[in-house]
Amino acid sequence: LLMDDATDPNQGLTHAKRFVTQDKVDIIMGSVATPVAAAIAQVADESGTPQIAWSPVALPPGKDKWVFRLPQSNAVMGHAVIEHMKKQGVKTVGFLGYSDAYGETWLNDFKPQAEKAGIKIVQVERFARADTSVTGQALKLVAAKPDASAMFARRRKQLMRIAGDDAILVLAAAPERIRSRDTHYPYRQDSDFW
């Protein structure tokens, strides 16, 4: 069975409920969108149906018993970003992320690692997935004058135009890969990024 959740948590929840109550599936696969995967996880937990999530969805302890994530966590990706920033001498950073569960988990995983590395987050800006512009948020980031901007979103070209030639931007551009629940592949930049 294949259903389109349209990256809407409510649709994902409706589909997941149908899968377990009407279709009596043995496993739920999805979603690629973290907010939807979190909604589906509720059904997986309540029904005892395994869920394979194609996103690094973060769930409260005890609510992830039935969830198996394919990508590595944002914390692992964030670690690679932080290590690169340290090598580049970055001391301050601005953060631009989605205003949903995915953006929140990125910030929650990124912030303590940055602080531990002596990197201060000087500006945090958010936007909704449906927003057609991030100009206002990007201008606030540039005005904060961070050494680097951590942008975990799709509107890279627009931000680069606004930031100018002298800016340093750090972009999440490849998913994490997990071999098994506790073994990670080394981080590799997505070939499509360039």
Side-chain angles (χ1 to χ4, degrees):
L1 300 171
L2 178 65
M3 303 293 261
D4 181 4
D5 61 41
T7 66
D8 177 356
N10 292 324
Q11 279 191 344
L13 186 63
T14 300
H15 295 326
K17 286 179 180 178
R18 176 192 157 181
F19 287 156
V20 299
T21 58
Q22 293 177 24
D23 301 316
K24 308 289 188 209
V25 299
D26 295 318
I27 192 166
I28 302 170
M29 308 271 299
S31 172
V32 297
T34 298
V36 181
I40 292 171
Q42 296 172 15
V43 176
D45 183 56
E46 292 167 3
S47 66
T49 305
Q51 172 191 2
I52 295 179
W54 295 318
S55 73
V57 60
L59 299 168
K63 295 293 183 182
D64 62 351
K65 177 180 178 182
W66 294 98
V67 178
F68 301 88
R69 298 160 191 84
L70 294 181
Q72 57 200 36
S73 69
N74 292 333
V76 174
M77 288 189 279
H79 177 75
V81 171
I82 296 291
E83 289 302 309
H84 181 73
M85 287 180 169
K86 285 176 18 182
K87 288 178 186 173
Q88 298 300 314
V90 171
K91 297 293 181 201
T92 60
V93 65
F95 181 93
L96 176 60
Y98 288 125
S99 58
D100 61 17
Y102 183 68
E104 191 64 26
T105 56
W106 254 111
L107 184 59
N108 289 340
D109 288 338
F110 185 80
K111 188 175 183 177
Q113 291 186 62
E115 289 171 354
K116 184 177 178 183
I119 299 172
K120 182 180 179 183
I121 299 176
V122 295
Q123 186 73 28
V124 174
E125 292 296 326
R126 302 299 187 83
F127 65 95
R129 289 179 183 263
D131 289 353
T132 58
S133 173
V134 294
T135 302
Q137 296 93 325
L139 290 172
K140 289 177 185 176
L141 283 179
V142 171
K145 300 190 183 298
D147 295 334
S149 294
M151 182 182 141
F152 305 106
R154 294 186 184 137
R155 294 165 178 88
R156 296 178 185 131
K157 288 182 182 177
Q158 183 179 9
L159 180 62
M160 289 174 66
R161 281 194 304 270
I162 294 167
D165 294 336
D166 296 330
I168 298 173
L169 304 174
V170 180
L171 310 170
E176 296 177 336
R177 306 282 185 216
I178 296 179
R179 292 182 195 185
S180 63
R181 193 154 174 85
D182 61 353
T183 306
H184 300 274
Y185 285 106
Y187 181 80
R188 181 186 176 280
Q189 178 63 55
D190 189 337
S191 300
D192 293 335
F193 178 70
W194 307 110

